[in-house]
Amino acid sequence: MTAPAEPLTFPTAVPSHPDALGARLTPGSHTADVNGNRLHYVVRGSGPVMLFPSPGWGPSISYLLPQPALEQHCTVVYFDTRHSGDSTGPEQPDQYTLSHFVADIDGLRQHLGAPRVFLAGHSAGGQQVLAYGIEHSEHLLGIIAIDAIAAPDELRTRELLAAMERRRTHPFYETRPGFVDAAIAMMTGADTTPRSITETLDAIGPFYFHDPELAATVMPTLQIDETANGYANASGFQGDDVLADLHRIDVPTLVVVGDDDFICDPVSQAARIFERIAGSTLAVIEDSGHVPWAEQPERFAAACDEWLATVTAEHA
């Protein structure tokens, strides 16, 4: 991975009392002091611990909840990354790199007293869990990377623009002249109009879905922290290419992707992640964009359930 040569390390409070450990994994909402920040997390389900971070660039965990296919196999710990949702974070723009998010995952794992955990992550959260797997596979039982970004390179740009072009013939866009051109201009930087991330997602939100009408329902649940978004951009978060180091992941890995995902597409992202992690499983969710559990809940649940049933049985 293209993170700093020297991994970032931070002091982390580790509980010294078994009862305190148990209380930290009771169902409901909690906070944890990790690396100088107060991380908010929600516990649901039962079974081995699974950590599920928000994407890191500003959205809270609200759009991720619930994940019944995961919760029936695991004690899922959804957590707001630094400065997102109900978590605090440093007011320094250089403290939001991929290495910082990886350190927070490990800090929360230690806080919960879990020697080995599953990880799940969506989009930029998927990049976080893949990067964690590269550095800390010894602490993992398995990884689920959902529509994850691994390489923000030229192939990704080509696939993204091709996917946007294909949407021109969809009835939703045909009845909105100029919509596709305006979105492409924003994504390529040809349109330099200053916008908040919320305004940007309002303009391009439909592209995240196979059924663009779903944007009006799903996108408002993001609850984005604009400051965190600015800090993540300033830190270059999501700019790392982790493909070259994915071979270092040696735990079971499920790669899930919507077949119509334009932002973390099956060709430039999912297929290359799958090819580079030995023994991984690829699940392509048909008729789905970037948020498969919202668009194709039954297909998404079936893919996760089948994989988790096999992997968790090995650790029973």
Side-chain angles (χ1 to χ4, degrees):
M1 62 187 295
T2 55
E6 293 296 326
L8 298 176
T9 58
F10 303 89
T12 303
V14 179
S16 58
H17 196 288
D19 291 341
L21 289 176
R24 293 174 183 189
L25 282 169
T26 57
S29 182
H30 305 264
T31 59
D33 292 327
V34 174
N35 301 327
N37 306 307
R38 188 189 70 245
L39 298 186
H40 166 253
Y41 66 95
V42 172
V43 178
R44 296 172 59 102
S46 61
V49 175
M50 172 183 284
L51 304 185
F52 200 149
S54 63
W57 55 265
S60 75
I61 56 173
S62 59
Y63 86 103
L64 297 172
L65 293 163
Q67 297 284 346
L70 308 185
E71 294 166 15
Q72 68 178 341
H73 294 280
C74 297
T75 300
V76 185
V77 179
Y78 306 87
F79 72 95
D80 289 319
T81 49
R82 49 177 62 195
H83 216 306
S84 298
D86 291 325
S87 292
T88 66
E91 302 298 340
Q92 294 135 314
D94 62 350
Q95 299 296 297
Y96 293 79
T97 67
L98 184 58
S99 291
H100 286 95
F101 290 114
V102 167
D104 286 350
I105 292 173
D106 200 53
L108 182 58
R109 179 193 64 79
Q110 293 182 53
H111 173 85
L112 297 173
R116 298 178 71 195
V117 298
F118 284 99
L119 292 181
H122 172 244
S123 194
Q127 187 180 47
Q128 292 178 48
V129 302
L130 291 171
Y132 186 93
I134 290 169
E135 298 295 338
H136 301 293
S137 275
E138 71 276 12
H139 295 311
L140 293 180
L141 299 171
I143 296 172
I144 301 180
I146 307 165
D147 292 83
I149 177 174
D153 57 9
E154 292 183 5
L155 178 58
R156 187 212 188 185
T157 299
R158 290 198 301 270
E159 289 296 317
L160 182 149
L161 293 176
M164 296 181 80
E165 289 289 347
R166 287 195 297 271
R167 282 157 166 76
R168 290 187 186 277
T169 58
H170 190 288
F172 177 91
Y173 301 99
E174 285 186 327
T175 59
R176 293 164 172 79
F179 195 101
V180 173
D181 288 328
I184 289 176
M186 292 173 62
M187 294 297 291
T188 59
D191 180 352
T192 59
T193 304
R195 294 182 178 85
S196 68
I197 185 61
T198 301
E199 291 170 335
T200 299
L201 290 177
D202 284 344
I204 67 172
F207 290 89
Y208 284 82
F209 301 90
H210 180 72
D211 176 3
E213 300 284 358
L214 281 175
T217 301
V218 178
M219 299 308 276
T221 67
L222 287 177
Q223 298 181 6
I224 298 167
D225 186 303
E226 295 278 353
T227 300
N229 179 253
Y231 289 165
N233 287 336
S235 291
F237 179 56
Q238 298 189 73
D240 297 89
D241 186 333
V242 301
L243 285 178
D245 289 315
L246 289 177
H247 68 277
R248 292 168 56 186
I249 296 175
D250 60 3
V251 296
T253 300
L254 174 63
V255 182
V256 184
V257 66
D259 67 347
D260 198 21
D261 187 350
F262 93 113
I263 198 77
C264 293
D265 66 276
V267 174
S268 77
Q269 304 303 309
R272 291 195 289 176
I273 296 169
F274 167 65
E275 290 167 358
R276 286 162 174 77
I277 301 177
S280 61
T281 301
L282 177 63
V284 179
I285 310 301
E286 295 182 355
D287 300 327
S288 178
H290 191 57
V291 194
W293 66 89
E295 195 151 22
Q296 296 294 342
E298 292 183 0
R299 294 173 184 174
F300 174 78
C304 293
D305 179 70
E306 180 180 359
W307 185 82
L308 279 167
T310 299
V311 177
T312 55
E314 297 173 357
H315 300 286

